Amino acid sequence: MRSHYCGQLNETLVDQTVTLCGWVHRRRDHGGVIFLDLRDRDGIAQVVVDPDTAEAFANADRARSEFVLRISGRVRLRPEGTQNPKMPTGMIEVLAKDVEVLNTAVTPPFQLDEHGKVGEEVRLKHRYIDLRRPEMIEKLRLRSRISHHVRAFLEGQGFLDIETPVLTRATPEGARDYLVPSRTHPGSFFALPQSPQLFKQLLMVAGFDRYYQIAKCFRDEDLRADRQPEFTQIDIEASFVEEEDIMGVTETMIRELFQDVLDVELAPFPRMTWAEAMDRYGSDKPDLRIPLMLVDVDDLMKQVDFQVFSGPANAADGRVAALKVPGGASMSRKVIDDYTKFVGIYGAKGLAWIKVNERAKGLEGLQSPIVKFMENVIEELLDRIGAEDGDIVFFGADKARIVNEALGALRVKLGEDLNLYTRDWAPLWVVDFPMFEADDSGRLSPLHHPFTSPSCSPEALKANPAEALSRAYDMVLNGTELGGGSIRIHDPQMQSTVFDILGIGEEEAREKFGFLLDALQFGAPPHGGLAFGLDRLVMLMADARTIREVIAFPKTQSAACLMTDAPGEVGAEQLKDLHIRLRQKPKPESGE
Ligand code: ASP
């Protein structure tokens, strides 16, 4: 139907006849001549319709925003003074000969260039219109390029693209399962995969050696910022490998991707142990663009007569840490109060601070509600933190988990608020994760998933599970976990030991993972892998604010699709087929 995309037109086509198809972006009537901006996925072209071409003119005259038109005409240079160098097609226009209305459109719920005036809900409800916006097209185009690049790279490295089932058994990755009732097996349910983890391991047992898949994963998680109940992973697994092999190939993949797609050269990724990341950044995904660091001051605070600090400093699970903000002494009381509220979100009971106005003046030169309690250690404290005139130092004192979360988040917020970024891209590997994390009652759960290999023997693991490290690695970029993986357990005895430590008894292990335990007995090779979150990768590369911006049809934070109104109720007949009786008719949801 068309000869060119609108956005492809340029001066080289002058005097040629072209046929364009697209949507009316804007229509202007200029004293008898009609100007149409015709838009398709490649851009916008200006079309001029003259009353001389009567039929074309009549059609252009009735065209409105978002009508679908087919236009033929001659490309010509725009008259001097009317060129628009900001537009790729700004030097030319098309003088229409034929204008055909392929379809009409009712008034759209928002003008594309006025999308900012409506809430995200309106945009999500009419996503097909929102997706007409050039920025959205750009992001999805970038996404397509990224997936294409990843596929080409992995194929080139001998990885095979193999699909794994969506209707399956639970794969634990730390979230709730989405369940699908079985009609043919009354009372039984499939689980949608939280990841292809077990299948990719079984493919290694089968001998495929190198697997990848761009796979949908499903996790029913509580409302948390910027998560989607279904999301996409670049899932990778290989046999006869060690950490270096997987980290090597995936780092090369990401570096080549950045080079080819963004023309950005990333230096080899530094590595940091999990312990160091928590210690210095309060996070296992540190944003290394921000030059602020937590400093441990436990030993000093043990010596002060101030229970708020000495308590956590002396407690086995406590921590007192300082965070210096250079030049921060000018912060107002109101700003400090806001940061105090902010750390409250992470459970911190307060935010102590010292403003260093003039160090040479000793205590006199400091401004702080707490400094009077720490006279005996103040000089050593300020030396250790490297505090200079004009700085502010914040403190966290609580359980280590709370201090890390609160100061870790404050560090990122300060980086944002004060625009402290030292560079655009800061990738790194985080390694030497603990195998397990304990909740407040001491119950252990896997830090990654229960198929991750520890870096010790089953005996050592059993003897001291809380101290054991795993063979896991995460790739972090700008404070976001881009991907995570590990060398897996390939020995059935080790797998049983891990289940045992997690409180998964033999019977339950057989019931849930019998197929895996069986497979491990039939000659499982040493293997490992990694999965990237494709949505997050695209979000970072597109410089988008949320992953919703890089997903064509995302769900809201309460896991609903505003456009299709999913999830929806189903009829009694269908429920009967599925052997399901509802306990109560659900109350209508009260929106977002
Ligand atoms: N299956 C893991 C996840 O989804 C990734 C991996 O270990 O390969 O987080």
Side-chain angles (χ1 to χ4, degrees):
M1 282 181 96
R2 65 154 79 87
S3 67
H4 292 82
Y5 281 111
C6 298
Q8 282 175 342
L9 302 189
N10 58 35
E11 296 99 302
T12 62
L13 296 168
V14 166
D15 282 339
Q16 289 192 29
T17 296
V18 295
T19 305
L20 307 174
C21 294
W23 288 261
V24 175
H25 193 66
R26 218 171 280 116
R27 177 183 159 287
R28 299 180 304 274
D29 222 322
H30 273 223
V33 180
I34 295 173
F35 285 88
L36 297 171
D37 285 346
L38 197 67
R39 187 196 67 239
D40 62 22
R41 67 163 212 202
D42 267 23
I44 291 176
Q46 176 167 294
V47 178
V48 186
V49 197
D50 215 274
D52 300 348
T53 45
E55 195 183 330
F57 190 82
N59 283 336
D61 196 36
R62 77 182 173 99
R64 292 290 172 271
S65 264
E66 303 305 319
F67 270 37
V68 188
L69 305 185
R70 179 170 183 235
I71 287 172
S72 297
R74 189 171 56 79
V75 179
R76 67 179 190 193
L77 284 174
R78 290 194 195 183
E80 202 68 45
T82 64
Q83 291 145 342
N84 180 357
K86 282 195 213 123
M87 270 176 88
T89 61
M91 303 309 280
I92 50 96
E93 61 191 11
V94 177
L95 180 64
K97 203 160 129 293
D98 294 312
V99 173
E100 187 184 342
V101 176
L102 297 177
N103 212 344
T104 60
V106 296
T107 309
F110 56 92
Q111 293 296 328
L112 297 195
D113 40 14
E114 293 183 352
H115 68 279
K117 291 191 185 157
V118 296
E120 195 184 10
E121 284 183 26
V122 179
R123 291 174 44 204
L124 287 178
K125 184 159 175 57
H126 302 274
R127 186 62 158 179
Y128 43 86
I129 291 178
D130 194 35
L131 289 177
R132 288 181 185 168
R133 291 194 293 121
E135 302 94 286
M136 297 304 280
I137 294 172
E138 253 338 284
K139 287 181 194 133
L140 292 182
R141 199 193 283 276
L142 178 74
R143 185 178 176 120
S144 172
R145 272 186 78 193
I146 293 171
S147 328
H148 171 76
H149 191 283
V150 162
R151 283 183 195 284
F153 175 86
L154 291 171
E155 295 277 345
Q157 296 284 325
F159 287 83
L160 303 182
D161 178 3
I162 303 175
E163 287 166 73
T164 54
V166 168
L167 292 178
T168 178
R169 254 191 182 274
T171 3
E173 295 276 4
R176 274 190 212 92
D177 289 319
Y178 274 98
L179 297 177
V180 178
S182 164
R183 180 181 58 80
T184 46
H185 298 273
S188 290
F189 294 80
F190 293 104
L192 303 182
Q194 291 187 31
S195 80
Q197 184 60 36
L198 294 174
F199 287 102
K200 68 174 172 175
Q201 291 192 233
L202 296 174
L203 288 170
M204 294 305 107
V205 178
F208 281 96
D209 199 70
R210 291 188 154 208
Y211 141 97
Y212 83 97
Q213 183 184 190
I214 298 195
K216 270 292 174 77
C217 302
F218 305 86
R219 297 184 190 177
D220 185 1
E221 293 181 291
D222 289 328
L223 306 189
R224 262 212 263 170
D226 216 17
R227 299 252 176 163
Q228 285 283 307
E230 62 177 296
F231 61 96
T232 309
Q233 279 189 346
I234 305 166
D235 198 37
I236 294 171
E237 196 78 5
S239 295
F240 306 108
V241 289
E242 296 186 321
E243 288 88 328
E244 291 304 322
D245 302 300
I246 298 290
M247 291 162 81
V249 79
T250 52
E251 180 174 326
T252 304
M253 179 178 95
I254 295 296
R255 288 176 60 197
E256 286 190 7
L257 178 70
F258 270 72
Q259 183 73 65
D260 294 353
V261 175
L262 294 186
D263 201 16
V264 165
E265 190 172 336
L266 298 175
F269 299 0
R271 297 190 184 180
M272 190 182 291
T273 65
W274 178 87
E276 187 184 343
M278 299 308 282
D279 211 46
R280 302 170 99 178
Y281 303 97
S283 164
D284 59 3
K285 36 181 183 295
D287 188 339
L288 299 188
R289 294 172 304 168
I290 303 167
L292 307 179
M293 241 184 252
L294 275 57
V295 177
D296 230 21
V297 293
D298 276 327
D299 55 326
L300 297 177
M301 294 307 159
K302 280 182 183 162
Q303 308 167 35
V304 302
D305 191 17
F306 181 41
Q307 178 56 29
V308 175
F309 278 21
S310 59
N314 282 303
D317 62 350
R319 178 174 193 197
V320 188
L323 180 67
K324 176 186 79 172
V325 187
S330 54
M331 271 181 208
S332 68
R333 191 62 219 219
K334 156 97 177 55
V335 169
I336 297 178
D337 284 349
D338 286 347
Y339 287 134
T340 309
K341 266 188 222 138
F342 175 78
V343 294
I345 304 171
Y346 301 89
K349 291 188 273 298
L351 182 65
W353 51 271
I354 300 177
K355 283 184 178 178
V356 184
N357 294 332
E358 209 179 326
R359 261 198 86 172
K361 284 197 181 157
L363 281 189
E364 288 288 285
L366 304 175
Q367 189 187 339
S368 162
I370 54 160
V371 77
K372 54 182 177 282
F373 303 113
M374 44 186 75
E375 252 174 84
N376 53 331
V377 297
I378 191 72
E379 280 307 313
E380 209 181 333
L381 175 74
L382 294 178
D383 281 346
R384 178 172 311 170
I385 300 165
E388 293 179 8
D389 292 355
D391 296 348
I392 188 169
V393 184
F394 290 113
F395 293 88
D398 211 310
K399 287 200 164 128
R401 185 176 50 78
I402 293 179
V403 170
N404 288 340
E405 282 184 16
L407 288 191
L410 178 63
R411 180 183 168 272
V412 172
K413 176 132 181 71
L414 287 162
E416 249 167 48
D417 291 354
L418 307 175
N419 194 13
L420 300 176
Y421 302 117
T422 53
R423 53 201 156 125
D424 291 339
W425 300 106
L428 79 152
W429 286 104
V430 177
V431 296
D432 291 345
F433 284 83
M435 267 299 272
F436 306 107
E437 58 188 342
D439 63 17
D440 284 342
S441 69
R443 236 186 84 113
L444 295 178
S445 57
L447 210 81
H448 278 85
H449 49 61
F451 317 106
T452 304
S453 177
S455 40
C456 59
S457 67
E459 295 72 35
L461 183 67
K462 227 187 234 161
N464 197 354
E467 294 298 315
L469 297 182
S470 73
R471 297 181 67 184
Y473 32 78
D474 278 3
M475 189 191 286
V476 175
L477 180 61
N478 294 0
T480 297
E481 182 196 323
L482 259 197
S486 59
I487 299 301
R488 325 298 183 187
I489 297 168
H490 68 281
D491 166 40
Q493 192 210 338
M494 178 68 98
Q495 189 61 74
S496 300
T497 306
V498 168
F499 285 150
D500 201 35
I501 290 169
L502 293 172
I504 303 175
E506 225 171 286
E507 207 175 306
E508 188 185 348
R510 273 238 64 83
E511 207 263 313
K512 287 187 171 153
F513 307 115
F515 62 101
L516 174 73
L517 292 170
D518 287 346
L520 293 182
Q521 291 178 344
F522 286 102
H527 61 287
L530 180 146
F532 288 102
L534 177 64
D535 311 288
R536 287 187 198 168
L537 176 63
V538 180
M539 175 186 84
L540 289 177
M541 292 181 76
D543 198 20
R545 278 178 312 108
T546 75
I547 56 171
R548 295 191 295 283
E549 296 288 304
V550 297
I551 296 175
F553 298 103
K555 297 197 171 47
T556 62
Q557 281 215 346
S558 65
C561 172
L562 296 178
M563 189 180 64
T564 60
D565 227 357
E569 287 181 19
V570 298
E573 226 8 70
Q574 213 175 351
L575 286 175
K576 198 166 148 229
D577 279 350
L578 294 170
H579 322 282
I580 287 179
R581 186 180 305 134
L582 298 181
R583 292 220 308 218
Q584 60 185 47
K585 201 167 150 40
K587 281 199 219 90
E589 286 280 330
S590 55
E592 264 305 277

